[in-house]
Amino acid sequence: MVYTVTFNPAIDYVVHTGEMKLGSTNRSDREEMYFGGKGINVSIVLRELDIQSKALGFTAGFTGEAIENGLAEMGIDTDFVHLKKGNSRINVKIKSAEETELNGQGPDIDDEAVNKLFAKLDKLQDGDTLILAGSIPASLPSDIYEKILERLAHKNIRTVVDATKDLLLNVLKYKPFLIKPNNHELGEMFGVTLTNDEEIEKYARKLKAGDGAMLIDENGEIHRCGVCNGKVKNSVGAGDSMVAGFTAGILQGDYEYALKLGTAAGGATAFSDGLAQKEKIAELFETL
């Protein structure tokens, strides 16, 4: 079984409008709503690739209920911890001449709720895959990723960590199966700006990972994949889609296949209004 963890799920409310005038009433041309959060995005794209997962994390209030119901309608299995206070956040994304985002804070997560999540994670078995993705709310301890990987270290679980800076650096000692910094995030970790493949490879080797369509495996071998061609419409969830594609691919084939499927899934999201769909992933996969 594949498990994803989203600490701060959200309803993404996307508003398309013409010119935005601050201090005035503006009218939308159209709106969309999506159920978001990096782990949730991974679960949704895994479903498109016929890989069942279980989405874990925290939800609260009427917005949390809407997230769970929406995911259930999409065929996503969930087992969230229900918080007693607050509401899961709503993120407002305004797409006009420029794109503006206003992300909610989300509810506080207390120790009791964290322990309930740990109890759910304790049920994972050898051979399962756990995907930890995204930042963490301020109410959680900064070492929550470390605590989870330490708790599961005695089991043969494939772990995937998609995070930045210290959240990622501090879990390397537990040897996650896959980590996915992009070139900007990789440079931030070492205080440098990376401008070419040689520099990316140099610093990726320090993490035993790669950027985008470059993978460095546990034996130090480099795997590369070409880029997908298309018009970029959307950057939200492209990295999550790549994680989903790679995870699905490694369950079905080798590194080359997984990297190719991950690249196609990331491109399919980038070239769509929402998250990648099966048909677009398959179309792009054939071009790589």
Side-chain angles (χ1 to χ4, degrees):
M1 173 62 78
V2 178
Y3 295 84
T4 65
V5 176
T6 305
F7 292 106
N8 208 0
I11 295 175
D12 289 337
Y13 179 48
V14 183
V15 181
H16 300 262
T17 185
E19 182 182 356
M20 277 284 295
K21 295 181 180 179
L22 295 179
S24 300
T25 299
N26 297 273
R27 307 226 175 247
S28 68
D29 296 327
R30 70 180 193 278
E31 308 111 29
E32 299 121 20
M33 281 192 288
Y34 302 100
F35 305 109
K38 293 179 72 65
I40 286 174
N41 291 343
V42 173
S43 282
I44 292 172
V45 177
L46 283 172
R47 183 71 182 84
E48 289 293 317
L49 294 168
D50 298 320
I51 300 294
Q52 188 64 32
S53 68
K54 180 170 287 188
L56 306 177
F58 305 95
T59 57
F62 77 100
T63 46
E65 185 177 348
I67 291 169
E68 292 191 55
N69 290 340
L71 293 176
E73 290 177 5
M74 300 167 75
I76 307 296
D77 188 16
T78 65
D79 189 16
F80 290 108
V81 175
H82 299 138
L83 302 175
K84 297 176 182 177
K85 297 180 181 179
N87 291 290
S88 295
R89 61 188 176 143
I90 298 176
N91 297 333
V92 181
K93 303 178 186 298
I94 302 172
K95 296 193 175 185
S96 116
E98 295 182 313
E99 187 168 321
T100 303
E101 295 190 18
L102 181 60
N103 290 343
Q105 285 189 327
D108 287 340
I109 302 169
D110 58 22
D111 290 343
E112 180 184 356
V114 171
N115 288 332
K116 287 181 179 179
L117 176 64
F118 285 164
K120 295 178 186 296
L121 292 172
D122 286 342
K123 297 177 183 178
L124 270 65
Q125 303 294 320
D126 290 350
D128 287 340
T129 298
L130 175 66
I131 300 173
L132 302 174
S135 60
I136 58 175
S139 58
L140 283 178
S142 60
D143 61 350
I144 186 71
Y145 275 24
E146 293 174 77
K147 288 182 176 178
I148 290 173
L149 266 63
E150 179 184 20
R151 194 178 187 95
L152 299 175
H154 66 288
K155 295 183 179 181
N156 183 25
I157 293 172
R158 180 180 284 160
T159 57
V160 177
V161 180
D162 184 7
T164 61
K165 296 185 179 178
D166 289 348
L167 270 179
L168 179 55
L169 288 171
N170 292 340
V171 301
L172 295 181
K173 58 191 173 188
Y174 298 107
K175 298 183 179 180
F177 172 74
L178 174 71
I179 58 176
K180 191 205 66 65
N182 63 33
N183 61 324
H184 303 295
E185 293 163 349
L186 183 60
E188 281 182 351
M189 292 178 199
F190 293 97
V192 297
T193 300
L194 306 180
T195 58
N196 56 54
D197 273 5
E198 289 72 24
E199 292 175 351
I200 292 170
E201 180 183 338
K202 174 184 175 181
Y203 287 96
R205 283 189 178 278
K206 295 185 179 184
L207 297 179
K208 283 290 185 187
D211 164 70
M214 180 190 293
L215 171 73
I216 300 180
D217 67 25
E218 69 273 21
N219 299 314
E221 296 295 322
I222 295 178
H223 307 265
R224 286 190 173 92
C225 182
V227 296
C228 300
N229 294 315
K231 182 179 179 181
V232 175
K233 296 182 179 180
N234 168 45
S235 61
V236 178
D240 309 327
S241 300
M242 186 172 194
V243 169
F246 186 91
T247 301
I250 207 64
L251 292 173
Q252 300 165 335
D254 58 13
Y255 282 140
E256 300 292 343
Y257 177 79
L259 188 58
K260 190 174 176 181
L261 188 60
T263 300
T269 288
F271 305 151
S272 305
D273 289 325
L275 291 173
Q277 295 187 331
K278 181 186 299 186
E279 294 77 11
K280 188 66 175 178
I281 297 171
E283 174 191 327
L284 293 176
F285 184 89
E286 293 302 319
T287 69
L288 294 170

